[in-house]
Amino acid sequence: MNHLKTGAVISKRRKELGLTQSQLAKSLNISFQAVSKWENGTAYPDIEMLPTLAATLNTTIDALLGYSSVVTGYDKRYNTEEYYWGLMPNPICYDIMKILPPVKPYRVLDIGCGEGKDAIFFAKCGYAVTAFDISEQGIEKAKRLAEYNKVEVGFFKADILDYRPDSEYDIIFSSGALHIISPTDRKEFCDSLKTHTTDIGINALNVFVQKPFIAPAPDSTTEEEKVPLWYSGQLFGYYHDWLFHTCKEEIFDCNSGGIPHKHCMDTLIAQNKKSTAFLQHF
């Protein structure tokens, strides 16, 4: 670890967020002297603290360590005036609303939010939304879109490979992002989502599934091509102890990147098993 480079990144991000050294230290439950030592390069954070520190500073562990982003393909994808995935919300959003309508501002976490269209839809409907993506370009476009729609969304930049929730959410949603997770980390990742879901909470997720008769997407990034897709039913197995509202596999046509192709996708909307008493009221 390059102490000076890491310290400079911490200092820059802290100031961009309008935090004092004392405020950052308090949020991390450490002394402000420790933060000062990081920033002047005489010490560096413990490895165990890096995920929390990155999340607090709305950045990634790679960025903290002074490495350039490994997902330049995503930034290139979103570096246009147009919205790559359009502006219409994912149909899953409507399914979620039927199960847990916004009778109060339920907390939503959108993982891999891209340019923010789904996060902003939830916010417009009355949910309290937090959303992140690895792409700086995507997050900036999402913030502009939120401002245009006059809604508040807690957008921040983070790497799905490093990030784990540190508080509970009523709805955890992710569409088209989980394929980047290594097969060895997928169960642990889903277990983390389940642990940080409220007793009546929902996890609404989809994953691209590998099929020998479907070619890789022509707009896949280099990073995506390095990780094998999920296999049929894998996602469902990790939620075997929850109530399934949606559990399906489908092959569909896609035109992302301007080149027609096909995907196979497993979609799951599952509700926490602790919600049995709650469901009896419906």
Side-chain angles (χ1 to χ4, degrees), residues 210-243:
Q210 53 184 300
K211 295 291 184 181
F213 48 84
I214 297 180
D219 61 340
S220 295
T221 66
T222 302
E223 296 75 34
E224 291 171 331
E225 293 172 353
K226 293 178 181 178
V227 183
L229 298 180
W230 294 55
Y231 57 81
S232 292
Q234 184 178 11
L235 175 64
F236 308 146
Y238 296 150
Y239 284 84
H240 67 91
D241 53 346
W242 280 32
L243 173 67

Side-chain angles (χ1 to χ4, degrees), residues 104-109 122-123 126-130 152 169:
K104 65 177 185 178
Y106 287 116
R107 298 187 64 198
V108 176
L109 174 65
F122 282 124
Y127 296 92
V129 186
T130 301
E152 295 288 335
Y169 293 89

Side-chain angles (χ1 to χ4, degrees), residues 185-200:
D185 295 331
R186 288 170 182 170
K187 183 179 185 303
E188 182 272 330
F189 183 85
C190 290
D191 286 345
S192 176
L193 301 189
K194 293 166 69 177
T195 299
H196 291 89
T197 304
T198 59
D199 287 354
I200 62 167

Side-chain angles (χ1 to χ4, degrees), residues 48-56 59-61 107 109 111 130 132 156-169 172 177-178 180-197 230:
E48 294 81 4
M49 183 174 287
L50 288 177
T52 302
L53 178 59
T56 302
T59 188
T60 67
I61 291 178
R107 298 187 64 198
L109 174 65
I111 297 174
T130 301
F132 74 86
F156 65 96
K157 180 180 176 181
D159 189 339
I160 194 173
L161 302 181
D162 300 326
Y163 180 84
R164 296 296 182 271
D166 56 7
S167 59
E168 285 194 336
Y169 293 89
I172 298 181
L178 302 188
I180 200 70
I181 299 173
S182 166
T184 58
D185 295 331
R186 288 170 182 170
K187 183 179 185 303
E188 182 272 330
F189 183 85
C190 290
D191 286 345
S192 176
L193 301 189
K194 293 166 69 177
T195 299
H196 291 89
T197 304
W230 294 55

